[in-house]
């Protein structure tokens, strides 16, 4: 890359390597961008002398703005007076561009006449927007002067594209590994501010500290040697070290402060721009103005204080403002936010002197737009003024490759999720949410459920519970209310842990969950808290499978608490058909409990087929795909099927193994298809069946199948070792072994093979994946009983070795 950089700037007076070295020494990104832009200008100007006099070379995009990052494309517009000239310059232009590419320049060019540029459809945003940042580099200035600014209609297209881009990032700046260019508040939003200003939007305020983003992006480009804009954990570490050895957390807090400023201005400018140009928006704001009252005016769809002085003389007005927002769901006007921020210290002093704020807070949390009100309070600092404990999690980064957001943003997203599901008419969880009589207690628990993560020295659930209790005591919540919130926070991981680590068909586990919940009312609250917490981890965390698991856990625990347990097992366990009865003989009661009569009959038919073929299987789809295989018992049967499934790139969610008195094994595997290959390629299901058959007939080895998967490399920032624990008390009939390690292709196959080699029998496998972390739970027996303590310990040690991230 250094050779390319030096060739790029030969004859220009300064080399790319010199610019890089100066940047690493001074970290002055603005100067680095300006010097690279000037260097490219000189190179292009010199080489343009060979072109005809009646054409012009125009810099557009980032190059036109003079903000040419180290590995960004050099966007050029070659302007010609007419199409005939375009034909005339084709050969010399081709030679010029080839020369530029040979010099290492990444050039993106278009050739147009001024007329073509001036007639561009505003919906062709890429070229139209690039012309907003145009600048003459060389050639005919009179021809360049014929270019006109695009019409204001382009702004509508920019606004629409900006909203779409923000939606791809869940409309939040608080990503743990953000894209510094495209994410909300990033450099693209900075450009949006400038574009809208050129199209007539007011441009009174300027975002602060944008040099932080420039510096970070320069480092990203230089360190990767390409146009890389993702601020990954690895890059955060590297850049922090290069910036005076500061901590990555400090770097990210600087980043979040910078993008907060940009995002705030961008959202305001977009809103104002759309308001002035949208008839529909105007009609809505006219209708929303009817919500105005003696204290607040609704103007252009946003809330303003009626009196300019009342906030200073009456700090409680701020609480009434947030209640107004929670009731109507209207955003605060920019002037309102500014006034709240200016009066922050006065409000903070007032809030600290109040011991009955809970009455006002409780009303806010009960209203339909409570999440919007809390976000507004957070934005202007009022929430932290009331609860200083929340300052501990501001822009707090917890690296686990599973959570997408900072802790404070995750907290607000959990609340928004629960508020949204309350209004979902077609959702089972929505019905459950509407049954809650005190939603304010649920939201209060969510507000504090992770605040203890800022104290790594103790359990975050216990630290969060303690801090919440102190905070709610201070604002005047009752003993009963505090006790419920404390319970929810202390138990907020219980249901998710049960889902991922325990067999939900085991009555002992359900009884344990019921004992922890205590009452139906608390179970409902805990279920909704778990729903919100998992959903807010990242946009894909609450899969249909997890949602079904959570609902099953809720209903089974509800039945246990209400003592209305199903009697289906006893009805199914005594079939009239002798052959079916023989098939069921020897199968544990658990098999009958978790399978419907239809599923049992399907397994029975597979057993008949297996009598002739040696094995038989079926592949069906519900909330996830289910593969059922019935075969004669043999070593490594379970492991072989697991490996064959993994070879297709499927993610196993749950697996179970049963055997009957006839020596038949019923193995079922529930798995997801993340790439939708089975859905998009109907013939692929037959391929899966054929592959399973070949494995069971020993025509192909699992190792050979796994070779077709992409080569796997351990992630340096994921788990460095495998953690294996065993528990002989969690189940009355099997040893529970939990494995936590870095996920990789074929992991379950390797682990299951080892268990089989050591004489173990896998009864149930529960598989969960959190980003790059695998959390697998095995129920293992040996000779029909639990493993003894010594054998369980040896097996756990052996599994830790085979599951080591660096073992492949």
């Amino acid at each position: 890359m250094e050779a390319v950089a030096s060739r790029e700037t030969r004859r220009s007076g300064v080399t790319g390597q010199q610019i890089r070295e100066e940047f690493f020494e001074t970290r002055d990104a603005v100067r680095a961008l300006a010097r690279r832009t000037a260097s490219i200008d000189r190179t292009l100007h010199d080489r343009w002398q060979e072109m005809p006099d009646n054409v012009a070379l125009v810099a557009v995009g980032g190059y036109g703005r003079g903000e040419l990052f180290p590995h960004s494309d050099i966007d050029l517009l070659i302007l010609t007076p007419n199409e005939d000239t375009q034909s005339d310059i084709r050969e010399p232009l081709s030679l010029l561009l080839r020369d530029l590419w040979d010099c290492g320049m990444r050039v993106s060019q278009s050739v147009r006449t001024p007329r073509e540029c001036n007639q561009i459809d505003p919906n062709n945003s890429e070229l139209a927007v690039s012309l907003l940042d145009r600048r003459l580099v060389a050639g005919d200035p009179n021809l360049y002067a014929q270019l006109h600014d695009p019409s204001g209609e382009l702004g509508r297209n920019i606004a629409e594209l900006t909203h779409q881009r923000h939606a791809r990032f869940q409309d939040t700046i608080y990503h743990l590994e953000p894209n510094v260019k495209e994410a909300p508040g990033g450099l693209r939003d900075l450009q949006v501010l400038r574009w809208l200003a050129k199209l007539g939007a007011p441009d009174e305020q300027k975002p602060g500290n944008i040099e932080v983003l420039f510096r970070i992006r320069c480092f990203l480009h230089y360190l990767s040697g390409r146009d890389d804009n993702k601020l990954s954990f690895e890059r955060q570490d590297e850049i922090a070290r290069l910036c005076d050895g500061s901590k990555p957390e400090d770097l990210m807090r600087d980043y979040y402060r910078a993008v907060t400023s940009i995002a705030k201005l961008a959202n305001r400018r977009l809103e104002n721009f759309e308001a002035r140009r949208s008839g529909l928006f105007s009609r809505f704001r006219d209708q929303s103005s009817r919500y105005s009252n003696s204290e607040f005016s609704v103007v252009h769809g946003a809330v303003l204080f009626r009196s300019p002085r009342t906030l200073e003389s009456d700090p409680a007005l701020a609480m009434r403002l947030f209640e107004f927002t929670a009731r109507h769901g209207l955003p605060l006007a920019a002037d309102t936010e500014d006034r709240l921020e200016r009066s922050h210290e006065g409000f903070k002093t007032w809030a600290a002197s109040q011991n009955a704020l809970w009455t006002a807070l409780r009303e806010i949390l009960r209203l339909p737009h409570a999440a919007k009100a809390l976000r507004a309070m957070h934005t202007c600092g009022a929430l932290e003024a009331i609860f200083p404990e929340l300052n501990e999690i501001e822009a707090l980064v917890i690296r686990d490759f599973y959570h997408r957001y900072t802790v404070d943003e995750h907290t607000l997203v959990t609340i928004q999720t629960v508020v949204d599901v309350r209004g979902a008419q077609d959702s089972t969880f929505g019905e459950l949410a509407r049954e809650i009589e005190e939603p304010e207690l649920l939201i209060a628990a969510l507000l504090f459920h992770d605040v203890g993560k800022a104290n790594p020295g103790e359990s975050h659930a216990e630290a969060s519970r303690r801090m919440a209790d102190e905070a709610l005591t201070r604002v005047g919540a009752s003993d009963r209310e505090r006790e419920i919130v404390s319970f929810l926070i202390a138990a907020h991981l219980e249901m998710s842990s049960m889902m991922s680590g325990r067999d939900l068909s085991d009555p002992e586990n359900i009884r344990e969950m019921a004992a922890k919940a205590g009452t139906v009312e608390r179970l409902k609250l805990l279920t909704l808290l778990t729903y919100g917490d998992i959903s807010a981890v990242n946009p894909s965390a609450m899969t249909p499978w997890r949602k079904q698991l959570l609902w099953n856990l809720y209903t089974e625990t509800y039945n246990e608490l209400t003592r209305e347990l199903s009697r289906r097992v006893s009805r199914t366990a005594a079939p009239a058909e002798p052959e079916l009865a023989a098939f069921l003989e020897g199968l544990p009661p658990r098999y009958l409990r978790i399978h419907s009569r239809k599923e049992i009959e399907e397994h029975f038919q597979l057993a008949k087929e297996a009598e002739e073929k040696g094995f038989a299987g079926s592949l069906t789809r519900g909330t996830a795909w289910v593969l059922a295989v019935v075969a004669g018992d043999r070593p490594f049967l379970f492991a072989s099927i697991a490996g064959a499934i993994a070879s297709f790139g499927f993610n196993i969610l749950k697996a179970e193994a049963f055997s009957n008195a006839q020596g038949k094994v019923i193995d079922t595997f529930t798995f997801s298809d993340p790439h939708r290959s089975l859905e998009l390629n109907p013939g692929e299901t037959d391929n899966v069946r054929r592959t399973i058959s070949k494995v069971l007939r020993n025509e192909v080895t699992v190792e050979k199948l796994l070779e077709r998967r992409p080569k796997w490399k351990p992630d340096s920032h994921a788990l460095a070792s495998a953690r294996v624990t065993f528990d002989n008390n969690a189940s009355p009939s099997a040893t529970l072994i939990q494995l936590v390690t870095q996920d990789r292709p074929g992991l379950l196959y390797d682990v299951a093979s080892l268990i089989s080699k050591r004489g173990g029998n896998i009864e149930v496998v529960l598989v969960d994946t959190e980003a790059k972390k695998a959390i697998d739970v095995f129920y293992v027996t040996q000779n029909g009983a639990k493993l003894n303590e010594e054998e369980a310990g040896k097996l756990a040690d052996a599994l830790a070795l085979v599951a080591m991230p660096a073992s492949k």
Side-chain angles (χ1 to χ4, degrees), residues 470-684:
E470 293 171 357
L472 292 176
T473 299
R474 190 173 63 247
V475 297
S478 69
D479 292 345
R480 182 190 65 82
E481 291 169 325
R482 296 200 319 275
E483 196 275 327
I484 293 173
V485 171
S486 292
F487 159 76
L488 290 173
I489 295 174
H492 81 270
L493 297 175
E494 294 292 349
M495 295 189 82
S496 56
S497 297
M498 185 71 74
M499 288 161 54
S500 62
R502 296 293 189 89
D503 179 8
L504 301 188
S505 62
D506 187 337
E508 288 297 322
N509 292 330
I510 299 302
R511 282 193 282 271
E512 180 182 336
M513 189 70 249
K516 289 178 178 177
T519 67
V520 168
E521 290 73 19
R522 293 192 176 192
L523 173 65
K524 291 179 179 180
L525 289 168
L526 191 58
T527 301
L528 289 168
L529 185 147
T530 305
Y531 177 89
D533 195 19
I534 294 176
S535 299
V537 164
N538 64 63
S540 60
M542 183 53 84
T543 61
W545 170 251
R546 279 199 179 98
K547 188 180 292 185
Q548 189 62 53
L549 279 181
L550 177 58
W551 187 252
N552 290 347
L553 178 56
Y554 165 73
T555 54
E556 291 294 330
T557 308
Y558 177 91
N559 289 338
E560 178 67 27
L561 286 169
T562 55
R563 302 182 183 278
E564 295 175 2
L565 299 177
S566 169
R567 303 304 179 190
R568 179 173 58 82
V569 173
S570 60
R571 291 196 300 269
T572 309
E577 303 89 335
E579 290 184 347
L580 181 56
F583 169 74
L584 293 174
E585 186 177 351
L587 288 169
R590 192 176 148 277
Y591 173 82
L592 300 171
R593 185 184 307 112
I594 66 173
H595 291 293
S596 66
R597 174 72 184 228
K598 180 182 177 183
E599 290 171 335
I600 291 172
E601 290 177 346
E602 289 174 352
H603 295 167
F604 175 50
Q605 292 303 318
L606 291 176
K608 287 184 176 181
E609 294 180 35
E611 289 290 343
E612 301 177 7
K613 304 177 182 178
F615 61 87
S618 65
L619 182 61
T620 57
R621 184 183 182 186
T623 56
W625 290 89
V626 178
L627 173 70
V629 175
V630 178
D633 198 5
R634 69 178 84 168
F636 305 104
L637 175 66
F638 182 94
S640 298
I641 299 173
I645 293 172
S647 72
F648 285 91
F650 303 145
N651 294 332
I652 297 174
L653 304 172
K654 183 178 180 181
E656 297 172 301
F658 301 95
S659 59
N660 64 9
Q662 298 173 335
K664 289 290 187 295
V665 172
I666 303 104
D667 287 349
T668 60
F669 295 82
T670 303
F671 63 88
S672 66
D673 178 11
H675 303 295
R676 301 173 60 205
S677 56
L678 295 176
E679 177 185 345
L680 300 176
N681 305 287
E684 190 69 1

Side-chain angles (χ1 to χ4, degrees), residues 8-12 36-53 55-59 63 74 76 96 99-100 105 135-141:
E8 175 189 292
T9 55
R10 70 188 184 204
R11 294 192 295 164
S12 64
R36 184 178 183 227
T37 300
S39 173
I40 301 298
D41 280 354
R42 286 190 291 269
T43 299
L44 291 175
H45 190 275
D46 290 346
R47 298 183 184 204
W48 189 257
Q49 305 309 313
E50 302 170 11
M51 298 294 291
D53 294 336
V55 294
L57 179 63
V58 182
Y63 179 38
I74 302 167
L76 300 175
L96 171 65
D99 189 23
L100 295 176
M105 294 188 185
R135 179 173 56 84
L136 180 65
V137 176
D140 188 351

Side-chain angles (χ1 to χ4, degrees), residues 172-234:
T172 179
I173 66 173
Y174 291 104
H175 291 269
L176 297 185
E177 295 182 293
N179 184 310
V180 300
K181 179 181 178 182
E182 302 291 346
L187 290 169
R188 183 72 74 194
D189 275 2
L190 178 63
Q191 294 158 17
V192 167
L193 283 172
R194 296 166 172 172
W195 294 333
L196 294 181
K198 292 180 179 180
L199 293 172
D203 190 27
E204 324 73 44
Q205 290 181 279
K206 303 293 183 184
N209 208 19
I210 61 175
E211 293 82 4
V212 170
L213 298 188
F214 283 27
R215 186 182 310 124
I216 289 173
R217 193 181 184 205
C218 276
F219 272 125
L220 289 175
H221 281 209
Y222 279 131
L223 291 172
S224 64
R226 59 187 175 86
D227 186 6
D228 180 16
N229 300 301
K230 182 180 179 181
L231 187 52
S232 65
F233 292 142
E234 182 178 1

Side-chain angles (χ1 to χ4, degrees), residues 93-109:
L93 179 61
S94 177
L95 292 172
L96 171 65
L97 294 173
R98 187 188 313 159
D99 189 23
L100 295 176
W101 276 98
D102 288 344
C103 289
M105 294 188 185
R106 290 181 46 183
V107 177
S108 175
Q109 80 285 343

